[in-house]
Amino acid sequence: LQIGIGLSSLIGSVYRIITKLLFPPEAVILSSLIYFFTGAVTIACCIVSYYVLVNMPISKKYLHRSIKATGAEATPLKTPRSPAAYSKENAVHHAQAQDNRLDTFAGKVEVLRKVVFHQFLVLVVYMTSLSVFPAMITEIPTYNFPSLAASRWWSLLLLLFFCILDTLGRFLTPYRLGMTHDNVHWYVLLRILLFPCLYGCLRGYPFLFRNDMFSLLFVGILGFTNGHMGSICIMMVSEQVNEAEKSLVGGFTGFWLNLGLVMGSMLALVIDKW
């Protein structure tokens, strides 16, 4: 899921590069229309592909196997019961009891309390990203290639670089780079320091920030940590609960993630006015 989100941003960025290459600068309205139309067609193809996928024989096979594995198999009363059969039946009864507990408000609050701290970290990661991406990044000027500024290519290249590193970070989630449940919050807080670095590139402060290499460096770190750290935080949330609670926690995670996106976008508007 996380890799798919990263690829969707990368595909959108590539589409914008292609439409800008195919049309002259004065045809910006036409190229923009084709860009959005192509995006809509892509989404329509994805919807069709999803239904084709779930109706493939191999998908039906594994979906049926998953449903069968979670259900209780009927056993004749006169058949001798093995210890394994009793164990499986007890597991099914335990799972049903867990489901009943999770249907109550108190049960949901209890599960949320287990993961609320790491859910907050998910919010902070995506709020930090959306406060500067794409608004601030697209306004960073180029200091070494003036010709790219006049044609607006520099901002598109920065967005493309962000998306490439973001997708790469999502692919590399098996490698946690020292992040654990106990220290991941320090990584998330340290990432906030990217904001003043990117702001320095935007304003063109002397020495360190008046160089395109540093603009690329900070944008690349922002993109990589958005994909890698954001995915790791979501995975850590899921690791703190048992199988019966994961579905409920997945809904909580979606809420906190989207709340981070909304708050980051609102913060970007405040920064723009400031």
Side-chain angles (χ1 to χ4, degrees), residues 35-63:
Y35 166 70
F36 286 111
F37 175 76
T38 307
V41 171
T42 302
I43 293 172
C45 291
C46 289
I47 294 171
V48 173
S49 299
Y50 170 78
Y51 284 103
V52 171
L53 175 65
V54 296
N55 285 291
M56 289 173 63
I58 190 170
S59 300
K60 291 182 177 179
K61 172 185 173 182
Y62 283 99
L63 287 171

Side-chain angles (χ1 to χ4, degrees), residues 141-187:
T142 174
Y143 300 101
N144 305 110
F145 305 99
S147 60
L148 293 177
S151 60
R152 298 291 293 179
W153 270 109
W154 179 244
S155 60
L156 291 181
L157 292 175
L158 286 178
L159 293 178
L160 178 64
F161 191 58
F162 175 96
C163 293
I164 291 173
L165 269 293
D166 173 68
T167 305
L168 177 64
R170 295 170 192 268
F171 270 104
L172 295 179
T173 49
Y175 308 97
R176 300 202 171 181
L177 307 180
M179 282 183 283
T180 66
H181 288 268
D182 297 324
N183 67 13
V184 66
H185 59 283
W186 294 114
Y187 287 81

Side-chain angles (χ1 to χ4, degrees), residues 17 25 37 65 67 106 131 134 142 146 151-152 156-157 171 174 183 193-195 205 212 215 222 225 229 246 248-249:
I17 296 287
F37 175 76
R65 181 179 296 180
I67 293 170
S131 65
T142 174
S151 60
R152 298 291 293 179
L156 291 181
L157 292 175
F171 270 104
N183 67 13
L193 294 179
L194 286 170
F195 177 83
Y205 292 137
D212 291 343
S215 298
L222 181 76
T225 53
M229 195 179 298
K246 284 186 177 181
L248 176 62
V249 166

Side-chain angles (χ1 to χ4, degrees), residues 55-91:
N55 285 291
M56 289 173 63
I58 190 170
S59 300
K60 291 182 177 179
K61 172 185 173 182
Y62 283 99
L63 287 171
H64 177 71
R65 181 179 296 180
S66 176
I67 293 170
K68 187 177 179 180
T70 57
E73 295 180 7
T75 305
L77 293 176
K78 295 182 180 179
T79 303
R81 315 294 294 281
S82 67
Y86 279 115
S87 177
K88 183 175 182 180
E89 193 172 272
N90 288 336

